[in-house]
Amino acid sequence: KQFVTVGRDGLRFWDAMTFHQTSHFRLKGHERSAVVYLTQRKQLVVGGEGNLGEIWNLDDKGISNHPPVSLPTGTETHPHIRFLAVSADEKWLLRSKHFKRELSLVSLTDPVPSTVAEYPDCQFAAFSPDSRLLAILREDDKTIRILELGDGAPVERHILK
């Protein structure tokens, strides 16, 4: 069991039992600021400056030698990815833009990830434990939207005021 931290100097992997650092990876290019594990897939999603988002394969020591898969950039350039969340079934990824209230929902079911929806004026969201629903807080009208996640685009089912 291990966990990862992200900082200006790269990714650090730690032993979850001893809290000792096991490896350190200096990633070239832009600063990374958000990270999430895809445990079942043995992958790590890393986000950061310049709307960069990458999916890295993991091995016993940390990041493997395989090149990462890039996340889609969306409809505009994000100055910075500051938040990443993944559904329990690891089919969906949420990302948030820094300095902007907007969320993007990315499908991880295909070999190349794709953005399936963008939600302006949204800053907070959560997946249901069974990964079938997504709740999004809209800042503009102060509502919570409940979306059903299936094989296609998300379908809005309820609006809570």
Side-chain angles (χ1 to χ4, degrees):
K1 303 281 183 184
Q2 62 182 356
F3 64 94
V4 65
T5 58
V6 62
R8 290 186 184 270
D9 63 345
L11 302 173
R12 294 176 186 268
F13 288 81
W14 304 83
D15 182 289
M17 301 303 288
T18 65
F19 297 105
H20 288 102
Q21 182 178 319
T22 58
S23 58
H24 181 203
F25 291 90
R26 296 184 193 280
L27 302 174
K28 297 178 184 174
H30 299 282
E31 177 185 338
R32 276 45 173 220
S33 61
V35 64
V36 66
Y37 267 109
L38 300 176
T39 309
Q40 298 164 21
R41 298 159 63 130
K42 293 188 169 108
Q43 293 176 318
L44 190 69
V45 182
V46 182
E49 284 182 359
N51 188 31
L52 291 182
E54 301 158 324
I55 300 176
W56 293 81
N57 290 317
L58 299 174
D59 59 23
D60 294 338
K61 296 177 184 171
I63 294 177
S64 75
N65 292 330
H66 294 91
V69 174
S70 294
L71 292 176
T73 58
T75 57
E76 65 177 271
T77 302
H78 307 292
H80 203 77
I81 294 174
R82 71 174 178 95
F83 166 74
L84 293 168
V86 68
S87 61
D89 63 4
E90 298 183 359
K91 291 181 180 179
W92 303 100
L93 175 77
L94 270 175
R95 66 179 172 185
S96 168
K97 302 173 186 180
H98 194 55
F99 300 122
K100 198 161 188 173
R101 290 185 173 118
E102 185 167 320
L103 295 172
S104 296
L105 182 64
V106 176
S107 172
L108 298 175
T109 57
D110 296 325
V112 177
S114 60
T115 301
V116 295
E118 292 188 347
Y119 302 101
D121 293 317
C122 297
Q123 195 170 3
F124 303 101
F127 290 105
S128 64
D130 63 4
S131 303
R132 291 180 31 219
L133 301 173
L134 174 64
I136 294 178
L137 173 63
R138 294 279 312 235
E139 293 285 330
D140 57 349
D141 62 3
K142 306 290 187 240
T143 61
I144 297 174
R145 311 279 172 134
I146 307 296
L147 307 169
E148 184 177 344
L149 302 173
D151 293 332
V155 178
E156 190 171 286
R157 293 295 183 202
H158 303 287
I159 299 175
L160 307 172
K161 290 194 176 233

